[in-house]
Amino acid sequence: MTIRKTPLYAAHAEAGARFVDFHGWEMPVQYEGILDETRRVRNHGGLFDLCHMGRLVISGPDREALVERVFSGNLAKLRHGRAKYGFLLNADGYPIDDVLVYRDHEVIHIVINATGRDGDGPWVQQQCEAAGFNATVEDVSESQAMIALQGRASEHVLQPLCGTDLSAVRYYGFANAPVCGHPALLARTGYTGEDGFELFFDPQHAPAVWDALLESGAALEVRPIGLGARDLLRLEAGMPLYGQEITTEIDPLEADLAFGVDLTKDATVGVSALRARQAAGVARTAISLAQVGGRVPRTGCPVLRDGQRVGIVTSGGVSPTVGKNIARALVTREAAAQGGTFDVEIRGHTSPMSVVPHPFYKRAR
Amino acid sequence: MADRPDNVQYTKTHEWIRIEGGVATVGITDFAVQHLGDLVFVDLPSKGADIEVGTAVAEIESVKAVGEVYAPIGGEVVEVNGDLSADQSSLASDPFGAGWLFKVQIAGEPAAGLMDRGSYEAQLES
């Protein structure tokens, strides 16, 4: 497999980033350190290169019908200029990806994971053809850069560089307005649990926009942030990672992500299968666990109750924000109902972890 | 980067060992610490334990990874650095001093292939 690099690779290298192979992409995993970067985003702000993620644009007369068919959320209830989280489900109701859908007047944008870049676009295209819709599915992953600016400083940092009043862009809203003089889509979305923006624009301007944002944010302690902190930030904020919390074997009902599915939508692939499973009773559920110190729970660690295996850690890590080791786990509904403490098996040792409220971190608004 | 001392020997798996009389002090190098990143957990052998040369005897865990420490020498563990269980910061700030891991009453020969500072640094650069 060829290792791919984003248009910002040189900027990361110059800033002293340490790189990691992330699903075939050479991405910055950290700059100053994962814990410090996590604190920086919580307390100030940070900049993320998300060019490796995938982006689809759906256009044509039947675009809304096509998105209703492939997206688990209810597009009809989504106002123009707003974004919504949901899933692309297979026929059995299991996610093939989790996505954000941005409903614009003439087109619909779908942001997908890096891991979905090879498969999601062709799958949406197949669904379009199977239904005989008159719509166009365009993969703009290579022709659009994506940068996220996250943290309380975000609006202040971005405002001088963009051509719209950002205070009018609400959480999960977006606007088409220039950034550094270049046409862009500015969305008040993100995956950190903080206020912030995701910017989509021509990748040839990516290094200039990146540098301009860092310059604008320098006095406010805004710095580049790697994938290590991004993973902790999303875990602390209770946000799932595709391939861990949800997979083609863990559905949104089990993962406690039913808010991303409109179970009344008969026209959507996979929804009737999910509805049937909900009626039959969902046997597993997601819980949040925490403990002070000790070995760090990680993806795949068995979760035990009274010595019996009742589940598995889907994501785990060290949370600098709550000062504990934290984990999201998928366990039997029966064990979850009993609450209390579970044992997590880490490299042959067991660590007791307590059930805590979800999410681990929620910002004050 | 910490100044690497000349009075210790180095392993290719980034442990260091300082032999004084019949006792060896064991730690990990600044390179190992730097490579692991933010450290969050240390599991050391128990005082009184007999450790065998070349076996994994300690765990150093960071936010992203777990490093195993291989005993560069065998014998009885006579002292462990208990300060590290609550606070691992000395591993980063002083890996060849306050960040030592454990001391062994030497029994038998050290691991083959121990290096002096110059050889270790040459290996790091290769």
Side-chain angles (χ1 to χ4, degrees), chain A residues 114-144:
Chain A
T115 49
R117 276 180 68 155
D118 292 336
D120 291 4
W123 183 79
V124 174
Q125 181 67 43
Q126 276 171 26
Q127 294 300 322
C128 184
E129 288 163 15
F133 289 141
N134 181 4
T136 303
V137 180
E138 189 187 0
D139 186 331
V140 297
S141 306
E142 292 291 335
S143 57
Q144 250 185 16

Side-chain angles (χ1 to χ4, degrees), chain A residues 18 29-30 32-36 227-228 231-232 293-296 298 318 346-347 349, chain B residues 33-43 59-66 68 85:
Chain A
R18 182 183 297 182
V29 64
Q30 68 170 64
E32 56 190 314
I34 292 171
L35 298 179
D36 283 343
L227 291 184
D231 190 46
L232 273 186
R295 290 177 177 79
V296 182
R298 305 199 189 257
V318 181
I346 311 172
R347 302 192 296 280
H349 300 263
Chain B
V33 173
Q34 162 83 38
H35 189 75
L36 282 164
D38 297 321
L39 300 182
V40 294
F41 176 76
V42 171
D43 183 45
E59 285 176 4
I60 313 285
E61 184 161 20
S62 73
V63 169
K64 268 290 161 204
V66 182
E68 291 195 318
S85 61

Side-chain angles (χ1 to χ4, degrees), chain A residues 84-156:
Chain A
K84 188 166 175 56
Y85 174 82
F87 310 96
L88 308 180
L89 299 171
N90 64 23
D92 296 325
Y94 288 94
I96 58 174
D97 208 349
D98 65 341
V99 302
L100 268 191
V101 164
Y102 298 76
R103 188 186 192 193
D104 212 339
H105 288 279
E106 302 297 325
V107 296
I108 297 165
H109 305 266
I110 305 180
V111 174
I112 64 180
N113 282 292
T115 49
R117 276 180 68 155
D118 292 336
D120 291 4
W123 183 79
V124 174
Q125 181 67 43
Q126 276 171 26
Q127 294 300 322
C128 184
E129 288 163 15
F133 289 141
N134 181 4
T136 303
V137 180
E138 189 187 0
D139 186 331
V140 297
S141 306
E142 292 291 335
S143 57
Q144 250 185 16
M146 179 176 178
I147 290 175
L149 172 64
Q150 299 280 294
R152 64 185 58 157
S154 298
E155 184 177 316
H156 201 78

Side-chain angles (χ1 to χ4, degrees), chain A residues 209-228:
Chain A
V209 171
W210 180 264
D211 289 346
L213 287 165
L214 286 178
E215 192 182 330
S216 176
L220 292 167
E221 301 290 327
V222 173
R223 304 277 185 276
I225 307 294
L227 291 184

Side-chain angles (χ1 to χ4, degrees), chain B residues 86-110:
Chain B
D87 179 4
Q88 297 84 33
S89 60
S90 63
L91 271 165
S93 60
D94 190 11
F96 299 101
W100 65 279
L101 299 178
F102 56 88
K103 296 184 184 186
V104 179
Q105 183 72 48
I106 298 170
E109 293 298 310

